[in-house]
Amino acid sequence: DPNAPENLLSISNVPLKTLKLVENGLLTKASTGDSAAHTEFYVTHLWGSPYEQGKAHGQLLSDEIRAFFQETYKYLADELVGSLPGKLNIPEWFLDLAAEKGLDAALDWTYEATVDYVDPNFFEELRGVSDGSGVDYDLMRRVHSLPEATKGHCSMFGASDGATASGSLLQLRALDWDVDGPFRDNANVIIYHNDESEDD
């Protein structure tokens, strides 16, 4: 929103608070120190293979992950039932498929249509998150399929060449969603320490 208020919060120098340590993962919390401003968020460090990183993530935040996926699926189902085509930028074909066969079938179709274009490491990591948190893998996969079915736009950032230590591409994608759903309540900066990366 170009008319949103400017973020005037200063960069915090308050040390991260260590919350939990598991094999291949460390969970910390960042804060500005001003509890009234509600500016706390998780900073999660993950090591190992994609599956190991996912499992550690699931173990570190199992309650939060469980609540997020349950709340998000319910939110999406409620929004689709209300069929608010302009609000979520959901194409008509997806709404028709969801009405005819159900939300799960529509999300499964979206997964099948896009799986060949997604790095398999993503699904390995998701399997690890599922195993570490106890959240159903199919539920997680379905929720992750929804952005591919929408006509929404995401903010993107990339850096490469001289802008990164290794010269390889680093990319960030922010899912620009509305602020009414459960998305805004789950701030987490995840730092992946990949074995083969020089940019850890």
Side-chain angles (χ1 to χ4, degrees), residues 11-30:
I11 295 175
S12 173
N13 291 323
V14 176
L16 297 176
K17 179 180 178 186
T18 299
L19 301 178
K20 192 172 184 181
L21 177 66
V22 299
E23 184 177 356
N24 297 311
L26 170 67
L27 178 65
T28 64
K29 187 173 268 190

Side-chain angles (χ1 to χ4, degrees), residues 6-190:
E6 184 179 355
N7 179 354
L8 299 175
L9 295 173
S10 60
I11 295 175
S12 173
N13 291 323
V14 176
L16 297 176
K17 179 180 178 186
T18 299
L19 301 178
K20 192 172 184 181
L21 177 66
V22 299
E23 184 177 356
N24 297 311
L26 170 67
L27 178 65
T28 64
K29 187 173 268 190
S31 170
T32 62
D34 179 5
S35 60
H38 301 291
T39 52
E40 295 185 331
F41 59 92
Y42 293 117
V43 177
T44 307
H45 290 265
L46 302 171
W47 290 267
S49 69
Y51 176 83
E52 292 167 334
Q53 291 173 340
K55 186 171 183 182
H57 186 185
Q59 291 170 332
L60 290 168
L61 290 162
S62 59
D63 292 339
E64 292 83 354
I65 290 169
R66 186 174 303 104
F68 173 77
F69 279 97
Q70 290 170 349
E71 291 169 17
T72 300
Y73 188 85
K74 181 182 180 325
Y75 171 77
L76 297 174
D78 291 347
E79 292 294 300
L80 286 174
V81 167
S83 69
L84 302 166
K87 184 173 180 192
L88 292 181
N89 293 317
I90 297 173
E92 200 63 40
W93 66 263
F94 186 87
L95 293 173
D96 292 344
L97 184 59
E100 180 182 334
K101 307 237 179 198
L103 179 58
D104 286 354
L107 292 171
D108 288 345
W109 184 92
T110 303
Y111 163 77
E112 291 297 331
T114 60
V115 66
D116 291 341
Y117 304 98
V118 179
D119 185 331
N121 286 332
F122 171 80
F123 297 109
E124 284 300 308
E125 182 181 351
L126 195 62
R127 175 71 65 191
V129 175
S130 173
D131 290 348
S133 67
V135 175
D136 180 67
Y137 174 78
D138 288 333
L139 170 66
M140 298 175 76
R141 181 184 48 75
R142 286 176 178 133
V143 167
H144 276 284
S145 293
L146 184 75
E148 297 307 319
T150 69
K151 295 186 226 174
H153 303 283
C154 297
S155 298
M156 300 289 290
F157 170 81
S160 64
D161 302 324
T164 64
S166 70
S168 14
L169 174 67
L170 295 177
Q171 179 179 314
L172 170 122
R173 173 188 180 198
L175 180 61
D176 298 335
W177 210 263
D178 67 45
V179 295
D180 297 326
F183 308 102
R184 67 177 176 183
D185 299 326
N186 292 279
N188 187 2
V189 173
I190 301 175

